[in-house]
Amino acid sequence: MASAAAAPAYKGTTETSKDNIVEVRNISKTYGTDIHALDAINLAFPTGQMTTLLGPSGCGKTTLLKIIAGLLEPSDGQVFVHGRPVTGPGPERAFVFQDFALLPWATVLRNVGFGLELTKHPKSEREEKARHYINEVGLAGFEDKYPHELSGGMRQRVGLARAMAVDADVLLMDEPFSAVDEQTRRKFQEDLLHLLSVERKTVIFVTHSIEEAVYVSDQIVLLSPRPGRIHATIRPDISRDISPDDIRRNKTYLDTVEEIWTDLRKYLD
Amino acid sequence: MSIYGFRIPPVFSLLIWIAIWEVAGQLELAFILPPFSAVLAQLVILVQRADFQAAALLTFQSFAIGMAIAILLGVVIGFLMGTNKIANSVLGMWVNIFASAPLSSLVPVLMLLFGLGQTTIVVTVVLFSTWIIALDTYAGVRHISPSLSEMGRCFGASRWQLISKVLFWAALPEILAGIRMGLIRAVKGIVIGQLLVSVVALGRLFRTFSDNFQFEEFWALTIILFIFALVFSSAIGWLEHKVEYYASTRA
Ligand SMILES: Nc1ncnc2c1ncn2[C@@H]1O[C@H](COP(=O)(O)OP(=O)(O)O)[C@@H](O)[C@H]1O
Ligand SMILES: [Mg+2]
């Protein structure tokens, strides 16, 4: 297991590395006058990899993800995507919401194609794409159902398919499995890994589950409690070629989970 | 209504009242109250009269125009208030005042301003129903989960797309509730207004009937108005019910 404390010092440079599709430089965020959510965050997200933001509730994970998405203005610092500074949401980034954020009045088919509908793709094209990704996330046959007819896990699959369908390079996922029950959650994690191995996306994934972070990530960023700072960056050295069940029994996996747990435990006191 | 703990179905209690009315009418207790059966017979005749049909059509037309304006105005004001802090602080107070003010006292003033025609009906309807529609729309917009508009922005929605494809539909259950309330208020406004000033369309008929002591006709007309209001409000209630399923699925 390779472990590196602290993030590289980017201050003063304007150049971004080609290997990092997203770079976060010196980001701070204060809500109002006194809620200091993030403090001088520097991070690089390597292209094609899955990075997890892990930390206790309220440490600013969602805030950081929304700043990267361009939904929230940072108080200080800048985010670069493909080397260009972020000024708002963009087509190269897609978001998967914690509460799914589906349109309750639209069918699964329309929900999945909604991103393409907004960007004015012709109906036939967006339905074809939507059907493809509905298939990919394992919802074939549910095209004409409404969100309220689906379970939590299935709704999040719709959210995932919608994000996939716009063909963004970067997927931003905010605790996508937190509203999903444990069994569904495991299956979903496996399916996600499989899907990503086919689609080659860069994923920025927020969770507060250590097991989930270690299971799905190439890189884990540990955040400290408010104001959120980078506590450590960890790259679990687990082969993705072995089966999901073997990963969960893998010694490196278990050791990494334990190590992070010991590390974060001190914040609980 | 319940008697000795037994719940009496509304239809049944209505029948009881009708029976009491009939008996009171037959006994000629009050000259303004003819028997229900006579009123009913008059109702059948009335709906076939050309002057009634013309008056009903004119009233209905003015009503529909007024409602259309009120819905448009109310929804736009509600959206402005719900999406814009400045608009909310500027408009909020006035909308609340108008929504709770005793507007019927204004009807005679409207008469003076807009004359004795269709315009007065339209303005009355707008005045009575716009504010409640605006308030309900506002409540609906505030109710929308923030992640739904974040979703829209994230997937590239323009401001207009966000409103027309996401926010409007998300607020629709409250908008419909507001329209139904507005409709009921408008009917009240019309009825009160026409009884007060009784110059236009159905109002004139009302006046004629009561002036000439034609109480059978008078009551028949009243019943017709009530039936109109009921049919309208249940049609909207039905629409509301159709969209309710997603109101309950919202976070
Ligand atoms: N809109 C807001 N206004 C004020 N404070 C906020 C707002 N959003 C989040 N916060 C605060 O900022 C901190 C970080 O929030 P968040 O990013 O949601 O944390 P996390 O996702 O890690 O649980 C929390 O203490 C939260 O209370
Ligand atoms: Mg969060």
Side-chain angles (χ1 to χ4, degrees):
Chain A
M1 173 182 149
S3 169
Y10 282 110
K11 273 179 199 148
T13 21
T14 50
E15 220 169 272
T16 58
S17 158
K18 278 210 166 51
D19 304 332
N20 297 325
I21 188 166
V22 177
E23 293 195 13
V24 167
R25 291 198 199 155
N26 204 29
I27 289 283
S28 296
K29 177 72 185 175
T30 311
Y31 287 108
T33 52
D34 55 347
I35 302 177
H36 201 177
L38 292 172
D39 186 39
I41 303 280
N42 284 293
L43 270 176
F45 298 88
T47 310
Q49 294 199 358
M50 178 127 172
T51 301
T52 296
L53 305 175
L54 179 67
S57 214
C59 72
K61 306 183 292 294
T62 299
T63 304
L64 182 55
L65 203 64
K66 284 188 180 167
I67 289 173
I68 296 173
L71 291 170
L72 209 59
E73 290 259 332
S75 310
D76 192 20
Q78 262 188 321
V79 175
F80 293 84
V81 177
H82 286 307
R84 287 184 297 274
V86 163
T87 52
E92 69 292 332
R93 283 156 291 151
F95 209 103
V96 178
F97 292 85
Q98 186 169 6
D99 62 357
F100 321 132
L102 302 180
L103 307 176
W105 56 89
T107 60
V108 167
L109 187 66
R110 181 155 178 237
N111 265 297
V112 173
F114 193 63
L116 300 167
E117 184 180 332
L118 290 174
T119 45
K120 304 205 168 75
H121 285 67
K123 193 174 165 117
S124 58
E125 185 194 329
R126 66 177 193 249
E127 290 200 343
E128 189 188 313
K129 267 220 166 124
R131 281 181 204 283
H132 171 76
Y133 283 102
I134 289 170
N135 239 340
E136 289 284 286
V137 300
L139 283 181
F142 289 90
E143 289 84 353
D144 298 324
K145 293 268 186 264
Y146 287 86
H148 72 277
E149 299 173 293
L150 307 178
S151 69
M154 291 160 93
R155 285 183 209 179
Q156 194 53 292
R157 284 170 190 265
V158 176
L160 180 62
R162 175 177 62 195
M164 295 291 227
V166 294
D167 208 19
D169 302 322
V170 184
L171 283 188
L172 306 166
M173 306 177 85
D174 190 7
E175 305 203 27
F177 305 139
S178 65
V180 167
D181 66 69
E182 182 60 27
Q183 280 165 323
T184 324
R185 187 176 177 133
R186 284 201 168 195
K187 178 81 175 75
F188 206 152
Q189 291 165 356
E190 289 166 15
D191 291 353
L192 178 67
L193 286 184
H194 173 74
L195 197 57
L196 293 174
S197 67
V198 181
E199 296 276 340
R200 288 286 299 167
K201 302 273 184 198
T202 304
V203 181
I204 306 178
F205 188 97
V206 164
T207 183
H208 60 238
S209 158
I210 298 172
E211 282 85 358
E212 183 165 280
V214 180
Y215 180 70
V216 300
S217 318
D218 299 304
Q219 170 178 263
I220 301 171
V221 177
L222 295 186
L223 294 170
S224 63
R226 225 171 81 194
R229 289 195 183 94
I230 295 173
H231 175 71
T233 306
I234 297 161
R235 303 188 66 87
D237 195 9
I238 302 165
S239 165
R240 297 288 157 192
D241 299 331
I242 57 180
S243 77
D245 286 335
D246 286 337
I247 291 180
R248 292 191 211 274
R249 271 187 242 111
N250 181 287
K251 183 162 182 337
T252 321
Y253 168 82
L254 294 170
D255 286 350
T256 311
V257 169
E258 198 50 40
E259 188 175 326
I260 295 175
W261 173 234
T262 321
D263 208 2
L264 288 182
R265 168 178 251 154
K266 60 174 173 285
Y267 291 133
L268 297 178
D269 305 325
Chain B
M1 193 162 110
S2 67
I3 292 176
Y4 299 119
F6 285 103
R7 250 195 66 75
I8 299 176
V11 178
F12 193 67
S13 75
L14 188 69
L15 285 179
I16 292 179
W17 283 114
I18 288 175
I20 294 174
W21 180 351
E22 179 69 27
V23 171
Q26 296 288 356
L27 294 177
E28 294 181 34
L29 289 181
F31 74 104
I32 66 154
L33 200 69
F36 184 73
S37 54
V39 170
L40 219 52
Q42 193 56 52
L43 194 150
V44 175
I45 297 168
L46 189 62
V47 293
Q48 296 171 23
R49 275 168 55 172
D51 60 344
F52 166 80
Q53 287 174 0
L57 192 69
L58 189 65
T59 304
F60 182 79
Q61 236 178 28
S62 327
F63 192 83
I65 295 171
M67 271 319 284
I69 296 174
I71 291 171
L72 204 71
L73 259 179
V75 170
V76 169
I77 293 175
F79 260 96
L80 276 176
M81 282 167 59
T83 55
N84 186 312
K85 272 207 183 93
I86 299 169
N88 189 27
S89 60
V90 173
L91 293 169
M93 189 180 77
W94 293 106
V95 171
N96 272 298
I97 288 177
F98 275 115
S100 52
L103 294 171
S104 31
S105 57
L106 279 179
V107 174
V109 181
L110 294 180
M111 291 292 316
L112 283 177
L113 283 175
F114 298 102
L116 311 179
Q118 216 178 355
T119 319
T120 309
I121 305 185
V122 173
V123 174
T124 307
V125 169
V126 172
L127 189 69
F128 272 79
S129 57
T130 302
W131 321 110
I132 187 75
I133 297 174
L135 283 183
D136 272 28
T137 303
Y138 168 73
V141 173
R142 296 312 302 255
H143 197 127
I144 299 170
S145 117
S147 72
L148 217 49
S149 32
E150 280 172 357
M151 185 279 289
R153 287 171 56 205
C154 219
F155 285 98
S158 65
R159 209 179 147 67
W160 172 243
Q161 278 180 320
L162 193 63
I163 290 177
S164 64
K165 284 182 182 283
V166 181
L167 302 182
F168 174 78
W169 298 98
L172 191 57
E174 283 88 353
I175 293 176
L176 284 177
I179 292 177
R180 194 162 56 98
M181 299 275 287
L183 201 95
I184 292 167
R185 287 188 176 200
V187 169
K188 276 208 295 214
I190 283 284
V191 170
I192 296 170
Q194 301 231 344
L195 284 174
L196 281 177
V197 290
S198 31
V199 275
V200 269
L202 282 183
R204 183 178 302 154
L205 270 184
F206 258 122
R207 177 68 170 271
T208 315
F209 292 155
S210 58
D211 282 357
N212 300 330
F213 304 105
Q214 292 171 295
F215 288 108
E216 287 165 11
E217 285 88 341
F218 179 87
W219 287 112
L221 197 55
T222 309
I223 290 175
I224 290 173
L225 267 187
F226 271 108
I227 291 173
F228 255 118
L230 255 169
V231 168
F232 256 128
S233 95
S234 34
I236 297 192
W238 175 81
L239 252 183
E240 263 181 78
H241 185 77
K242 288 266 298 182
V243 298
E244 214 165 49
Y245 70 83
Y246 73 71
S248 60
T249 55
R250 294 188 299 182

